[in-house]
Amino acid sequence: MTHEPDLAGQAPGPREDHHDNRRQVLYWRLLARLFDPEEQASLESASLAVVEDIGLPSALLDPGASVDSVVQRHPELAAEFEGLMVPEPEEDGARDRAAEVRRAALVSKVLLNVFATGSGNVTAEQLARWQSDADRLEGALGCRPGELRGGRGPTGGPGRAGGGVGATGTGPGGPAPDLGRLVPAIGPELGAIEAGLVQRMRLREVLADPALAARLTPSMSLMEQLLRDKDNLSGVALANAKALIRRYVDEVTEVLRTQVEKSTVGELDRSVPPKRVFRNLDIDRTIWKNLTNWSPEEERLYVDRLYYRHTSRKTTPQRLVVVVDQSGSMVDSMVNCTILASIFAGLPKVDVHLIAYDTQALDLTPWAHDPFETLLRTKLGGGTDGTVAMALAQPKIAEPRNTVVVWISDFYEWRHQELFDSMAAVHRSGAKFIPVGSVSSSGRGSVNPWFRERFKDLGTPVISGHIKKLVHELKTFLT
């Protein structure tokens, strides 16, 4: 009997073959359950024998049990699920094939719970369970909960401790794929699955029952459905919908505000006397300047003068005009940029104006400080005509050199040449013009190639991808 050499250059023995066969049984069961909801009796019994033999709970094979419920009953597994699919650094020597079997069982559980969603109506409890399992998958990939789905975690690209994205090495079943390619592909699929589950849920019935509504976990997909259906809700259902929107807005606001506050806010203005309060006291400078008053006999420093740090910063009054396409494909951008506009509206000396449009334009500036109220006044869907929005935006550009115009859209316009000419005129006037591409709730971006090329030629390329890029651009100009 001969064997092919393994990755370590050694021929595996019978025991290694035994581990490989076990791992293959688990993965064949995973594939069978993903593509066919009917159980394969032989694979189920073989997988159960493997799981029990390696000391793992049989609940791992129960499709109805969430990962959270398994961890609650077996807390020792919590650490194993975290970072489970992040490749480990390659090491010299033989692979730990027994550990690979264990990882295969845990990986199969996470993947099956997330990607095998069945059919038919979905309850609020089932949606919440799926969201918790999706959080576990993101954690297994080395990401924060919600990060890949583009929901409550717009805080940066995937990847955290342990190398995360871009690392390669030995995965659960041998050489692992490059997560730098795998993770971006999984993100849109998770968003699409979540959106499908929300659509299969009888949302109006759930919202009418406070107990069921309380089980819902706010997400971008849920926000899309709530914002589309809000005009058809009333009474308890409408109140619950507003509460969910408020919860999601507050969560995303906290994340985006942290991003904005992390950036610098302009140079120190030393022409303004420092405020004489204890938190501004410069202890090191105070000691240095008073060293001549040191008394060796008394071992005491006498302070004649206190020195304080300058905290006032140089700022120039700036105007921020945000124009958002509120057509059906723009939900994510509408939510995130409405919240972002409200955060910048709270900064000193920043004058924020907010315009939403489809075939008509709406000036939402009076509510720009409150993203919740702003979103309740939007009406998603319909066509797009950016020229009506430009008609509202142009009069707001009174001082072009102190104005930034952020235009968020997929730029699929029917009067494209007329709209582009007006945008180019805004750019040539001296105003900072920032075109931002759309991102759907599934994470897939789409920008009209005609506009993309012309913006590039104009010297104002479309910002696409993470909203963090837009935060950086705005902070650079406004501070």
Side-chain angles (χ1 to χ4, degrees):
M1 182 175 178
T2 61
H3 299 279
E4 293 296 326
D6 69 0
L7 292 181
Q10 302 295 325
R15 185 63 180 172
E16 284 74 13
D17 272 349
H18 180 57
H19 290 314
D20 286 345
N21 290 339
R22 285 175 155 189
R23 191 180 67 248
Q24 289 175 19
V25 165
L26 294 171
Y27 283 140
W28 276 117
R29 174 188 176 271
L30 169 64
L31 292 174
R33 294 298 296 263
L34 285 174
F35 292 102
D36 186 354
E38 294 295 326
E39 289 188 2
Q40 301 294 322
S42 58
L43 285 175
E44 293 295 327
S45 60
S47 297
L48 179 60
V50 170
V51 166
E52 291 180 341
D53 190 47
I54 61 178
L56 288 173
S58 59
L60 286 175
L61 301 179
D62 180 4
S66 68
V67 178
D68 279 351
S69 67
V70 173
V71 169
Q72 286 171 4
R73 283 178 279 176
H74 306 275
E76 70 277 4
L77 295 178
E80 291 190 64
F81 279 109
E82 193 69 18
L84 176 67
M85 299 172 69
V86 175
E88 298 174 351
E90 293 187 10
E91 298 179 358
D92 294 336
R95 288 159 36 197
D96 187 346
R97 296 174 186 271
E100 289 177 0
V101 177
R102 187 177 182 89
R103 293 182 68 192
L106 299 175
V107 167
S108 296
K109 175 60 177 173
V110 177
L111 293 179
L112 191 60
N113 276 29
V114 171
F115 289 100
T117 57
S119 59
N121 293 330
V122 174
T123 66
E125 185 176 1
Q126 288 172 322
L127 176 63
R129 188 177 66 189
W130 182 91
Q131 289 172 327
S132 73
D133 286 329
D135 288 345
R136 289 285 183 178
L137 174 59
E138 290 168 319
L141 290 168
C143 303
R144 289 176 290 274
E147 188 169 6
L148 296 184
R149 286 167 283 162
R152 290 157 293 168
T155 56
R160 85 182 150 178
V165 176
T168 57
T170 303
D178 184 350
L179 279 188
R181 299 178 182 177
L182 176 63
V183 171
I186 290 179
E189 294 306 318
L190 292 180
I193 293 172
E194 184 175 45
L197 291 172
V198 172
Q199 290 175 355
R200 286 161 52 190
M201 186 171 59
R202 294 181 177 179
L203 190 56
R204 295 184 190 180
E205 295 179 14
V206 172
L207 292 173
D209 186 330
L212 293 177
R215 295 180 183 178
L216 291 175
T217 301
S219 65
M220 185 61 75
S221 299
L222 185 58
M223 288 305 98
E224 180 173 352
Q225 295 301 316
L226 293 174
L227 291 173
R228 288 183 185 280
D229 207 32
K230 66 182 186 301
D231 292 335
N232 299 317
L233 302 175
S234 60
V236 174
L238 180 59
N240 287 328
K242 287 183 177 181
L244 285 165
I245 295 172
R246 172 70 78 180
R247 280 174 57 193
Y248 187 78
V249 166
D250 290 345
E251 290 173 2
V252 177
T253 298
E254 189 62 30
V255 175
L256 289 177
R257 181 178 288 114
T258 299
Q259 287 187 17
V260 172
E261 291 174 350
K262 279 183 179 179
S263 303
T264 58
V265 290
E267 298 178 358
L268 289 173
D269 188 354
R270 300 192 180 277
S271 65
V272 178
K275 193 171 183 180
R276 296 176 179 272
V277 294
F278 179 76
R279 68 173 178 272
N280 291 341
L281 180 63
D282 190 337
I283 296 177
D284 291 341
R285 189 174 178 219
T286 298
I287 293 174
W288 177 257
K289 291 289 188 179
N290 288 279
L291 278 179
T292 55
N293 298 328
W294 169 255
S295 173
E297 295 80 11
E298 302 177 67
E299 294 187 349
R300 180 173 296 183
L301 178 66
Y302 291 91
V303 177
D304 291 335
R305 178 182 174 185
L306 296 175
Y307 291 84
Y308 296 87
R309 297 184 185 91
H310 286 78
T311 56
S312 180
R313 306 217 174 233
K314 293 181 179 180
T315 58
T316 304
Q318 307 282 11
R319 174 164 292 188
L320 172 61
V321 181
V322 181
V323 183
V324 187
D325 176 355
Q326 64 173 352
S327 61
S329 61
M330 296 300 302
V331 181
D332 290 44
S333 297
M334 184 76 217
V335 173
N336 283 324
C337 291
T338 295
I339 294 171
L340 192 60
S342 72
I343 294 171
F344 279 102
L347 296 179
K349 299 183 179 180
V350 178
D351 180 23
V352 175
H353 294 255
L354 181 61
I355 298 170
Y357 75 97
D358 43 30
T359 55
Q360 296 181 322
L362 179 64
D363 191 344
L364 297 170
T365 301
W367 302 279
H369 287 75
D370 189 339
F372 172 72
E373 290 296 332
T374 299
L375 290 172
L376 291 183
R377 285 169 170 77
T378 60
K379 185 177 182 180
L380 300 174
T384 54
D385 184 1
T387 60
V388 297
M390 183 59 78
L392 280 181
Q394 282 177 325
K396 297 178 181 293
I397 310 174
E399 299 180 14
R401 296 292 176 185
N402 289 330
T403 303
V404 57
V405 178
V406 178
W407 198 291
I408 303 103
S409 176
D410 53 12
F411 298 100
Y412 283 95
E413 299 278 344
W414 67 284
R415 290 198 281 185
H416 53 276
Q417 187 65 58
E418 181 180 347
L419 178 59
F420 178 77
D421 289 344
S422 62
M423 291 173 169
V426 169
H427 173 68
R428 287 192 295 269
S429 72
K432 173 76 170 178
F433 185 81
I434 304 176
V436 181
S438 69
V439 181
S440 69
S441 59
S442 65
R444 296 182 174 89
S446 175
V447 176
N448 186 339
W450 188 91
F451 271 90
R452 186 186 290 277
E453 288 301 315
R454 279 155 182 78
F455 283 136
K456 184 177 179 180
D457 294 339
L458 189 63
T460 58
V462 175
I463 292 178
S464 59
H466 209 276
I467 196 171
K468 200 171 185 179
K469 296 180 182 178
L470 179 58
V471 171
H472 175 74
E473 287 286 332
L474 293 178
K475 288 291 290 185
T476 299
F477 184 83
L478 293 172
T479 60

